[in-house]
């Protein structure tokens, strides 16, 4: 999967959903980063590096990183199965599932170790990446920004040599939204504590309502090029 490569292939009415999910992902990742003191709940490349480094220098960090990565993958698996079962209504259904996981994280926050809360957050971030699918495969990973920045650079270079002058803008907005969400998440966690995770759950529920308003899409297993 090429991160962000599918964004401009979608009707513009879906862009608000993409940007909203990216913002919430940044928000949640910031909370998880703070709780795990340097590990992530949505950026699994970084956690994989920590897993390798920790295996040599800090076994406890390696164990935590492995738990978070496993939870992320479990979230992807569960939401993929849910998406197949939901068919053309998969977007709002998956987002309700994500909101439910975030609610569980909020309930456990402060009652259980931070690592437990972070595992639930990681599972939710794995799940949210299955919202956008084409031909049964993820087409937009809303928590991965490396590919988005590559596309941004490519489109900016293309604009300099006569290509579409503003094709880079959606990728800049997507990246900026995740950064902005991370800043808001940091502020919310420092000022609101447990409530900050409830805010993320509520935001996901609102986005699920918006996804429902957008209407049904083709089933996740379909092979139609029009699959949104």
């Amino acid at each position: 999967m090429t991160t962000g490569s599918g964004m401009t292939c979608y009707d513009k009415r879906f862009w608000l959903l993409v940007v909203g999910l990216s913002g919430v992902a940044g928000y949640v990742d910031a909370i998880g980063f703070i709780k795990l003191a340097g590990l992530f709940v949505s950026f699994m490349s970084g956690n994989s590096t920590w897993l390798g480094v920790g295996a040599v220098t800090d076994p406890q960090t390696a164990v935590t990183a492995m738990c978070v990565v496993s939870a992320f993958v479990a979230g992807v698996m569960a939401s993929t199965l849910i998406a197949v079962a939901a068919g053309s209504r998969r977007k709002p259904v998956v987002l309700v599932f994500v909101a439910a996981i975030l609610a569980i994280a909020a309930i456990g926050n402060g009652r259980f170790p931070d690592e437990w809360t972070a595992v639930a957050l990681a599972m939710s971030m794995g799940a949210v990446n299955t919202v956008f699918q084409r031909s049964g495969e993820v087409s937009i990973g809303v928590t991965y920004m490396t590919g988005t920045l590559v596309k941004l650079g490519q489109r900016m270079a293309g604009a300099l040599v006569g290509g579409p002058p503003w094709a880079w803008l959606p990728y800049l907005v997507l990246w900026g939204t995740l950064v902005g969400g991370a800043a808001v998440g940091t502020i919310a966690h420092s000022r609101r504590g447990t409530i900050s995770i409830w805010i993320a759950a509520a935001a996901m529920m609102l986005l699920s309502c918006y996804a429902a308003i957008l209407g049904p899409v083709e089933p996740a297993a379909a092979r139609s090029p029009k699959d949104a």
Side-chain angles (χ1 to χ4, degrees), residues 164-200:
W166 299 106
W168 52 270
L169 186 58
Y171 301 101
L172 179 63
V173 171
L174 188 61
W175 172 76
T177 303
L178 185 135
V179 173
V184 174
T186 301
I187 295 170
H189 181 266
S190 64
R191 295 183 180 180
R192 299 298 180 182
T194 300
I195 297 176
S196 63
I197 302 179
W198 282 113
I199 293 172

Side-chain angles (χ1 to χ4, degrees), residues 111-219:
R111 295 180 174 88
F112 300 101
D114 283 346
E115 289 80 5
W116 291 32
T117 301
V119 163
L121 294 178
M123 186 175 183
S124 74
M125 291 297 95
V128 80
N129 278 289
T130 67
V131 171
F132 287 92
Q133 299 185 37
R134 286 179 181 273
S135 301
E137 298 290 336
V138 172
S139 56
I140 302 177
V142 296
T143 71
Y144 312 127
M145 288 298 117
T146 301
T148 296
L149 291 174
V150 170
K151 289 295 180 181
L152 172 63
Q154 289 178 323
R155 298 299 181 266
M156 292 178 77
L160 293 175
V161 295
W166 299 106
W168 52 270
L169 186 58
Y171 301 101
L172 179 63
V173 171
L174 188 61
W175 172 76
T177 303
L178 185 135
V179 173
V184 174
T186 301
I187 295 170
H189 181 266
S190 64
R191 295 183 180 180
R192 299 298 180 182
T194 300
I195 297 176
S196 63
I197 302 179
W198 282 113
I199 293 172
M204 281 296 178
M205 282 302 300
L206 289 174
L207 289 170
S208 73
C209 292
Y210 178 65
I213 291 171
L214 290 176
V217 295
E218 293 300 319

Side-chain angles (χ1 to χ4, degrees), residues 29 58-59 76 106 121 141:
D29 202 29
D58 186 354
V76 173
L121 294 178

Side-chain angles (χ1 to χ4, degrees), residues 1 5 12 22 26 52 56-57 60-61 68 72 75 78 100 109 152 160 167 174 185 190 194 204 208 214 227:
M1 179 191 69
S5 63
K12 291 183 180 179
S22 182
V56 177
T57 64
Q60 183 57 49
T61 296
V68 173
F72 185 91
N109 189 36
L152 172 63
L160 293 175
L174 188 61
S190 64
T194 300
M204 281 296 178
S208 73
L214 290 176
D227 183 12

Side-chain angles (χ1 to χ4, degrees), residues 8-85:
T8 55
C9 296
Y10 282 84
D11 189 292
K12 291 183 180 179
R13 66 197 180 99
F14 285 97
W15 289 12
L16 179 59
L17 181 60
V18 177
V19 169
L21 292 176
S22 182
V24 177
Y27 178 100
V28 172
D29 202 29
I31 294 173
F33 183 85
I34 294 169
K35 285 186 172 297
L36 291 174
L39 291 174
F40 304 89
V41 295
S42 71
F43 180 51
M44 293 304 114
S45 295
N47 287 345
S48 298
T49 300
W50 267 114
L51 176 59
V53 173
V56 177
T57 64
D58 186 354
Q60 183 57 49
T61 296
V63 170
T64 302
M66 189 67 224
C67 289
V68 173
V69 171
S70 298
F72 185 91
V73 174
V76 173
M77 292 174 62
S79 60
T80 298
L81 294 173
I82 290 171
V84 171

